[in-house]
Amino acid sequence: MKSTTTELNIRRADERGHADHGWLNSHHSFSFADYYDPAQMGFRSLRVINDDRVAPGQGFGTHPHRDMEIFSYVLEGTLEHKDSMGNGRQLKPGQIQLMSAGRGITHSEFNPSPSESLHFLQIWIQPRERSLTPTYTEWHPKPDHANAPKVLVISPDGRDGSAIIHQDADIYRIRLQPGQTVTHELNPGRCALLQIAEGVLSINGTQRTTGDGASTEASGTLTLAASEPTEAILFDLK
């Protein structure tokens, strides 16, 4: 059965939790830190979607994580990552880092630029097992990905060059130009959540904009159409 507009659960950008710390301006799709809403504790294995803007020369100091799959998708600026596994990397727009915290790691996230702000999405997904060995991987777009409307960036088996996650989750980057359309088939037993990073997108006829999210647990076809340059993340989850 094809999904219909009535089967979409919309999460408006202005309904999200918000924290402005001066150096960090963050919007939370789900309960996080001082923002708590019992109706917004996550979606299936998806636990956190934070839309973060970090001031020049600022960032998150070294702090611990465990038993969580954490990935960051850079939209603007440069993200500098350091962790207790010995990784030290700088990521640019369109690139993804994926860290499996497993039985425990520490890391820091920093904006190394003295003048440019950093804008990125940080996403947490619960792993299918606890106390895994910590790992770190990245996804960098290839030249033919630049204009691809839908690209698999994270998966449990690493197919098509995607980064590997320890959960039954396929994650796609959506990038559409005005007038472009792409579809996604959601199989029975699966669910989907779409987070719009930038732009305006029609989801099965329902128009949403920057910061909005939409989810469904109804199998069928999701049709995504852009009316302006749009970038989004699509989660296909068990």
Side-chain angles (χ1 to χ4, degrees), residues 3 13 27 41 207:
S3 298
H27 288 85
M41 297 301 295
Q207 184 168 288

Side-chain angles (χ1 to χ4, degrees), residues 42-113:
F43 181 72
R44 297 285 181 100
S45 59
L46 182 57
R47 179 61 188 84
V48 168
I49 302 177
N50 287 349
D51 188 340
D52 290 341
R53 294 180 183 270
V54 181
Q58 300 293 322
F60 303 87
T62 302
H63 58 282
H65 288 287
R66 64 174 300 130
D67 293 323
M68 195 66 68
E69 306 289 294
I70 301 172
F71 78 89
S72 299
Y73 181 61
V74 182
L75 295 163
E76 299 174 19
T78 302
L79 174 64
E80 183 172 273
H81 168 94
K82 294 181 181 180
D83 64 44
S84 55
M85 292 179 281
N87 298 295
R89 304 283 292 174
Q90 289 192 353
L91 286 92
K92 299 294 186 179
Q95 298 178 343
I96 290 173
Q97 61 162 16
L98 171 59
M99 182 178 67
S100 178
R103 58 178 174 260
I105 57 96
T106 60
H107 78 134
S108 63
E109 307 291 331
F110 193 73
N111 178 2
S113 173

Side-chain angles (χ1 to χ4, degrees), residues 1-4 7 185-190 216-221:
M1 179 189 297
K2 185 175 180 178
S3 298
T4 66
E7 294 169 323
E185 291 298 325
L186 192 61
N187 292 326
R190 308 287 296 183
T216 182
E217 300 191 63
S219 61
T221 305

Side-chain angles (χ1 to χ4, degrees), residues 134-184:
T135 58
Y136 176 89
T137 57
E138 294 178 4
W139 180 85
H140 291 198
K142 297 178 181 178
D144 60 346
H145 291 151
N147 298 314
K150 186 174 79 168
V151 178
L152 181 69
V153 296
I154 294 173
S155 70
D157 56 6
R159 66 189 185 279
D160 301 329
S162 57
I164 296 175
I165 192 169
H166 299 100
Q167 182 53 269
D168 189 351
D170 290 335
I171 302 166
Y172 299 84
R173 185 210 68 191
I174 304 296
R175 180 177 287 171
L176 299 174
Q177 297 303 314
Q180 275 192 307
T181 298
V182 69
T183 61
H184 181 76

